[in-house]
Amino acid sequence: MDYGEIVKAASAAGFLCRGGFHPAPEDGVPGAAADGSETLIVLGNAGPAMWRAFQAAPSRAGGLDRWTRAQVSAFARPMKARAFFPFDQPFPPFQRWAAKAENLQASPLGILIHPEYGLWHAYRGALLFAARIALPAAESRPRPCDTCRDKPCLSACPVAAFAVGHYDVPKCVAHVASPRGTECLEQGCLARRACPVGLDHAYAPAQARFHTEAFVRAHRGKS
Ligand code: B12
């Protein structure tokens, strides 16, 4: 099994391979060997490709997470890889894994920023292989936020829910679920949309609305 074959299988299922690494104990990959002899590959989406595959799937009525689990499990099985999902509990540290796999850093909003995709990407799974697979070197590129002088992401939220290192979730949810939050609900988070990086990959309104509604539902379910 080489990285190129995994990239192809992931792409046929609607996902992007987002790099990988050879886990050490401090990476918190459940059940991984402690000696770095195994490989974790991170899977995700950027722009509209995964959304199109999901919309075309007859099983989409079961929801994005269930569809993701079925798609990823189906291609992981013949490769004898163990799959992890960002929505499983307890939450696996996906942002930590993704940051290591692709050499990414967090934006002031807390979301990892990618030099090309900006804030318009997310993670859908990770595969653990019981072999040390050769990986492409993670590119070392500067964090776009370091040269972004005005940081419009930090001033675009109508209820100032974001500050560096802090995200006021109850304030955000209350606004998005209120009549004044219609634009956030229908077009996606205004702070995320204010970022000038990767705008070509921004989610279209239907996808933005789907994720925002899921976010409001998920948070309300817990409160
Ligand atoms: C719980 C959770 C939430 C909670 C609380 C977030 C918070 N304040 O911590 C809620 C429901 C509010 C939330 C909201 C959103 N989330 Co969220 N969330 C998660 C989840 C399921 C678990 C996070 C966790 O506890 N991890 C466990 C710890 C141990 O892992 P970790 O990697 O070390 O933890 C890091 C994060 O907690 C991060 N962090 C801290 N503060 C914040 C604030 C924000 C906004 C984010 C995104 C991350 C973040 O810092 C930690 C150290 O790196 C992750 C998936 C996952 N399994 O990681 C997604 C995840 C972090 N969320 C994600 C996203 C995109 C969002 C949203 C921006 C969009 C959405 N889903 O609608 C919204 C924000 C709302 C908006 N204005 O649009 C993405 C981020 C992708 C990226 N590019 O980095 C993830 C990775 C899910 C995914 N499938 O890709 N989220």
Side-chain angles (χ1 to χ4, degrees):
M1 180 67 49
D2 67 29
Y3 187 72
E5 287 174 65
I6 303 166
V7 169
K8 260 195 220 147
S11 150
F15 304 99
L16 284 175
C17 270
R18 305 290 308 272
F21 58 91
H22 306 294
E26 65 270 20
D27 295 318
V29 178
D35 59 0
S37 62
E38 299 188 333
T39 309
L40 189 81
I41 306 271
V42 178
L43 304 173
N45 65 282
M50 178 205 70
W51 179 250
R52 287 197 196 115
F54 171 59
Q55 286 304 295
S59 60
R60 71 178 179 281
L64 182 61
D65 290 350
R66 193 180 290 186
W67 174 79
T68 298
R69 190 187 294 281
Q71 291 286 101
V72 171
S73 304
F75 83 81
R77 218 170 289 123
M79 295 193 285
K80 297 195 170 38
R82 211 175 130 209
F84 301 103
F85 297 94
F87 40 81
D88 276 343
Q89 302 257 8
F91 294 134
F94 258 81
Q95 287 188 303
R96 231 191 308 150
W97 293 349
K100 183 162 180 175
E102 257 189 324
N103 211 354
L104 297 183
Q105 289 169 288
S107 66
L109 300 182
I111 310 170
L112 297 177
I113 187 152
H114 185 279
E116 184 188 339
Y117 308 135
L119 302 178
W120 302 103
H121 66 110
Y123 302 98
R124 302 308 307 167
L127 299 181
L128 181 64
F129 293 85
R132 197 176 162 93
I133 297 169
L135 296 168
E139 277 181 62
S140 178
R141 293 188 282 191
R143 184 178 81 129
C145 314
D146 293 338
T147 45
C148 177
R149 240 191 8 185
D150 298 339
K151 306 219 180 332
C153 61
L154 288 177
S155 54
C157 174
V159 292
F162 293 100
V164 177
H166 180 71
Y167 170 36
D168 190 333
V169 179
K171 214 186 209 183
C172 169
V173 175
H175 177 72
V176 176
S178 77
R180 280 176 302 127
T182 305
E183 196 180 352
C184 308
L185 184 71
E186 289 183 350
Q187 310 282 326
C189 173
L190 295 184
R192 202 174 179 186
R193 281 169 49 204
C195 174
V197 184
L199 287 177
D200 291 352
H201 300 277
Y203 300 157
Q207 182 176 4
R209 185 178 183 126
F210 176 91
H211 291 303
T212 312
E213 283 178 346
F215 147 69
V216 171
R217 257 198 324 271
H219 193 73
R220 290 213 146 164
K222 278 182 214 134
S223 54

